[in-house]
Amino acid sequence: MTTPTRRSFLKIAGAGAGAMTLGGLSLPALAATSVANKSAKQDLDILNYALTLEYLEAEFYNAFTGSGAYASRLTDTRVRSYARNLASHENDHVTALQGTIRALGGMPFTKPNIDFSPLLTNSDGSAKTVNDELFLALANTFEPIGVRAYLGQADRILNGDVLTAAASILAVEANHASGIQELRTQLGFNKKPTRQTSRAPQSDAKPTSTNVADFDGDFSPTPTDFWTPLSMEDVLAMVKPLIKS
C-alpha cells in the first residue's frame, strides 16, 4: 500500500488553495476520535469527516457558480469572482481527500444528500433574499468552521503526511475566511470589522452554541492570533441540519 506524500496530495489538490449515517458509518462513531488511540483507521475516519465538510462547501459554492441554482443572484463582479475561486478550491479539496482515502486503502464516503434550505429560510418560514450579501454571509459561516474543524483533529492524526496535507487545506480555509471578511468589509456588509475572535462564526454572547441562529458573522478580516479548535461533535451538530441522508 502506498502512503501519499504531501507532494502527491497537493498535486491531486491542484496545489490549491481545502442516528444518521454517512457511507455506513454513524455520526456518533465518527465523532469518537481520540488523541490517545491514534491509528490508521482513525486517520481514515478523520479524512472522511473532512471529506463530508468539503462536500458541503463544494456543493454550496457550486450552487452560486456556472449553471448553479443561485449563480444569477450574484451581481457584484468581485463576489462572482470569489465564488468561482472558492468553488474551484473546494472541489479540488474533495478530489484530493477522495484520492488520499483510496491511497490509504479506505473507501471515501459517498456525498450525502445536502439541503441548504435551513440557511435560506427566515425564522417565520419565509424565504430569504438570495444576493451577494447573503452569499458572503453564508460563506463566512462555512469557512471559519472549516478552519477550526481541521484544527480540532490535528492531534488525533497518526500519519505525518496526512497531517501535513490536512494542514495545507486548513491554511487555504483560513485564507478564504479572511478574504471573504475583507470583501464584506469593502462592500459595507461587515458591521464589526475590528472585532477580534478566535471562535468565529460563534458569537461572543454564546461562544459555545452550535445553532447557526446564535452565530455572529461580523469580525475582523484578521480576527485572532490563535484559532480555537472545534470538536468533531460540535461541527457535526452544526452541519447536521443540512445533511438529509
Side-chain angles (χ1 to χ4, degrees), residues 22-145:
L22 298 173
L25 185 62
S26 70
L27 291 186
L30 184 61
T33 61
S34 166
V35 175
N37 298 305
K38 297 179 183 180
S39 67
K41 180 185 180 301
Q42 179 162 284
D43 281 1
L44 287 170
D45 288 346
I46 291 170
L47 287 168
N48 265 315
Y49 160 68
L51 176 60
T52 300
L53 300 182
E54 297 295 343
Y55 278 143
L56 282 167
E57 290 184 295
E59 183 149 328
F60 171 74
Y61 292 121
N62 289 341
F64 286 88
T65 58
S67 59
Y70 304 110
S72 63
R73 308 292 184 89
L74 302 184
T75 58
D76 187 279
T77 301
R78 290 171 295 174
V79 176
R80 294 169 69 179
S81 177
Y82 261 57
R84 288 192 297 270
N85 289 337
L86 293 166
S88 176
H89 292 174
E90 304 301 354
N91 282 297
D92 283 347
H93 292 170
V94 167
T95 300
L97 288 168
Q98 290 172 331
T100 300
I101 291 166
R102 292 189 183 101
L104 290 172
M107 179 63 68
F109 282 0
T110 300
K111 185 175 75 170
N113 293 323
I114 298 169
D115 179 10
F116 292 113
S117 60
L119 300 178
L120 303 176
T121 305
N122 293 309
S123 58
D124 63 2
S126 62
K128 292 182 178 179
T129 300
V130 179
N131 53 19
D132 295 332
E133 184 172 6
L134 180 63
F135 165 74
L136 291 175
L138 295 179
N140 185 50
T141 298
F142 281 116
E143 298 299 337
I145 291 173

Side-chain angles (χ1 to χ4, degrees), residues 145-209:
I145 291 173
V147 172
R148 297 173 62 201
Y150 276 98
L151 186 59
Q153 296 305 308
D155 60 351
R156 290 164 166 75
I157 295 174
L158 174 67
N159 186 311
D161 290 327
V162 172
L163 176 60
T164 301
S168 71
I169 294 182
L170 183 158
V172 174
E173 303 291 346
N175 291 343
H176 290 173
S178 290
I180 291 165
Q181 280 300 77
E182 180 61 33
L183 183 55
R184 291 185 71 244
T185 301
Q186 293 175 10
L187 295 174
F189 301 152
N190 185 5
K191 307 306 180 185
K192 302 174 185 176
T194 62
R195 176 186 168 223
Q196 292 289 292
T197 176
S198 67
R199 306 187 67 91
Q202 292 169 305
S203 69
D204 296 335
K206 296 183 178 180
T208 62
S209 175

